[in-house]
Structures are given as C-alpha cells and as structure tokens.
Amino acid sequence: MTFLDPRQRAMLAEMGVRVWAPKPLARPVLAEAEAASEVPTGAPVQQVRAATREVVAAPVPSPRPPAPPALVRKPPEEIRVAQVAAPPDSNALASRPEGVERMDWAQLEAAVSSCQACGLCAGRTNTVFGVGSQRADWMVVGEAPGENEDRLGQPFVGQAGKLLDNMLAAIGLSRQVDAAAESSEQSGKQGVYITNVLKCRPPSNRNPRPEEIVQCEPYLRRQVELLRPKIILAMGRFAVQSLLQTNDPIGRLRGQVHQYEGVPVIVTYHPAYLLRSLPDKAKAWEDLCLALEVAQGSTNA
C-alpha cells in the first residue's frame, strides 16, 4: 500500500481529486497487533488470541495523585494557647453559717461579713449589712448594693440614696441614729432601718439571680425577726418579689397591704427608678402615705 505525504495530498486536493485515507486503528486493535507481535511466528491461532485478551484486559493504572504538602509542626514555644477564664468552682464555696435564726445583731453582721455561700463573695469590696436604728418602727428593704454601696458598705447612697432620705424626711424619718435613745431600753422605737435583699453587689450592677437571693434570704428574715418593725417598705421589683414570693409586677401589687413574717408590707418603686421616671414619684408618695397609715395603726392590716 502506497501512502501519500501531506504535500501530495494537498496537490491532489487542488486538482479536485478525492483522496481516501485509512482510519487510525482503535486502541484494542493496536493492542492485538502488539500482542500478536510478541507471539512467535507460526504459533497457533488460540495462542495469539489468548495473548491479545491478556493485553486488552490488563488494567490501566490510574494516575497517582500528588502527595499532600508535609505538615510543619511548630515548636511548643511558638504555639499559642487561648487563655480562658475557668468558671467559679461551686465546690470551693462555703456553706452559709449555721444557726442564723438564733444570732443577735453582732453575730448576724459578722456572719454576713464572712459569708461565702454564693459567687458574689469573689467580687465584693464590702458586704452591705444595713444602716439605721436597730429599734426602728420602719424597715426599708431594697434590692442589691450598687457600686457606691459596695465601696462604702452602706445601702442607698448616691442620688438614689438622697431621694430616699428626702422621702423619709417628708414623713419625719431619718436613717441617722440617736445614740442616747438607741442605748436606752426604756425608750420607744424610733427611726428607720434600711437594708437590701442581697448583701453583696452583683458584678456590673446586674440583676440579682434567684440562687443568690435564696442564699441571702435567711439573713434578711433574721433582721426582720430582730427588728420587729411595724411596717416594711419594699422598694423595687426584686425586693418585692423576694419578700412576697411572687412574680407579679409592682403596678399590680401597689395600694395593698401584704405580709412578710407577720409584718405588714407596702410595695413601691425603687428610688433609682423614680430618678428615671419622674411621673411615678406621685405614685411613690401615695405608697409612702399608705405605709404611714399602716404604721400608725390607722389601717387594719
């Protein structure tokens, strides 16, 4: 068979002569030809076919994927580990002192000062036990110490404290203690005693948590038992809900006489709230007048 080179094919095409060219052999045919070339001349047809089948059936190896880049391990000093603050260990907290229900004023204040029954002890500067006369007819209960209270160790200081002092002065009360009257067993009750549901400041002045209120509640209960006031003025949502064991809002509880450990309770707004909501000062004055009537025995509580 004579094969034409590309130049000859081009010349014939220019003259309009159609040139026939054989198709290239498929891979299996070439494989048969290669296999047959490896079989000796004159071998039986069966041997030629067997060799051809082995070549065609032989698996074609797939290309090997490139190796991944080698991992470079940094020496330990170059590896930075994120520093995560561990949560407080609840097992490290001490239990609340026993016998709170039998303590006198001095023992109770010492117990509060050293209390580590909840996590608030870790961040406090001072505990805030209370201030005022321990022979008072009136008891004011707030929510929790703030930054100024934590720093000074007294409840209701700052602008909210000034507003509370003005409210009490309007009905003839003061947190200042008359030392002579306080030490005399013959004198009657006088003044006002001010404290909070919580004795330690929550971080960043956040709201008190239920478990924190539970730990502090026996201290407050014993303060009420020792003081035996004629009236309790509960100021703020958490004070109200803790004393009355309710989730009702202050607006629904105002204007009524409630009870805590046998003592009448009047509900009102916290002075810090009144500084932000001036229209509600009139409502707080109504609450104060109701408390005054109850304390004087004008209302049958």
Side-chain angles (χ1 to χ4, degrees):
M1 180 180 295
T2 302
F3 293 95
L4 301 177
D5 58 31
R7 185 177 61 83
Q8 292 171 333
R9 292 174 181 276
M11 291 175 61
L12 293 175
E14 287 293 332
M15 293 186 295
V17 179
R18 184 179 180 183
V19 180
W20 176 85
K23 295 181 180 180
L25 295 175
R27 181 64 193 172
V29 177
L30 293 176
E32 289 183 8
E34 293 172 358
S37 65
E38 296 178 0
V39 180
T41 305
V45 176
Q46 292 80 359
Q47 185 176 354
V48 176
R49 291 178 177 174
T52 301
R53 284 195 299 270
E54 291 177 2
V55 173
V56 174
V60 179
S62 58
R64 182 175 298 175
L71 296 176
V72 179
R73 295 186 178 273
K74 293 183 179 181
E77 61 272 14
E78 296 183 10
I79 300 176
R80 295 183 179 181
V81 180
Q83 298 296 325
V84 180
D89 183 5
S90 59
N91 295 326
L93 298 174
S95 59
R96 188 174 53 246
E98 296 182 358
V100 171
E101 68 280 0
R102 297 185 300 274
M103 292 180 179
D104 59 22
W105 281 109
Q107 293 169 335
L108 187 63
E109 186 169 4
V112 169
S113 179
S114 61
C115 181
Q116 295 184 342
C118 76
L120 295 182
C121 64
R124 73 189 177 207
T125 302
N126 291 293
T127 54
V128 181
F129 181 70
V131 68
S133 172
Q134 295 176 355
R135 299 171 55 82
D137 283 333
W138 283 65
M139 186 176 197
V140 173
V141 179
E143 298 180 325
E147 182 179 4
N148 292 327
E149 287 81 0
D150 175 69
R151 178 171 53 86
L152 299 175
Q154 294 187 15
F156 286 96
V157 298
Q159 294 301 315
K162 290 180 181 179
L163 177 56
L164 175 60
D165 289 341
N166 291 338
M167 294 170 65
L168 295 175
I171 57 174
L173 296 175
S174 172
R175 71 170 76 192
Q176 302 302 321
V177 178
D178 185 335
E182 191 76 3
S183 60
S184 174
E185 292 294 335
Q186 302 300 321
S187 64
K189 289 191 172 185
Q190 48 109 25
V192 60
Y193 187 83
I194 305 171
T195 189
N196 285 315
V197 169
L198 291 190
K199 312 305 184 188
C200 297
R201 176 199 178 198
S204 302
N205 292 353
R206 63 161 171 75
N207 291 334
R209 293 175 178 168
E211 63 271 19
E212 296 163 352
I213 294 176
V214 167
Q215 290 294 349
C216 260
E217 200 275 336
Y219 298 135
L220 177 61
R221 187 188 312 121
R222 184 55 181 165
Q223 286 177 309
V224 173
E225 291 171 352
L226 289 171
L227 188 64
R228 290 177 295 174
K230 291 183 178 180
I231 189 72
I232 294 176
L233 188 64
M235 308 191 81
R237 175 164 62 97
F238 292 99
V240 171
Q241 293 179 350
S242 175
L243 289 171
L244 303 184
Q245 294 296 298
T246 179
N247 290 322
D248 289 344
I250 291 179
R252 188 178 300 172
L253 299 171
R254 289 183 57 253
Q256 307 172 49
V257 180
H258 306 275
Q259 295 285 326
Y260 176 80
E261 298 293 321
V263 179
V265 176
I266 300 300
V267 169
T268 192
Y269 299 104
H270 195 281
Y273 167 79
L274 295 176
L275 290 174
R276 303 189 302 269
S277 181
L278 299 181
D280 285 333
K281 282 188 174 182
K283 297 179 181 178
W285 176 248
E286 294 174 1
D287 300 332
L288 206 58
C289 292
L290 175 59
L292 184 60
E293 291 177 0
V294 174
Q296 293 176 343
S298 298
T299 300
N300 187 14

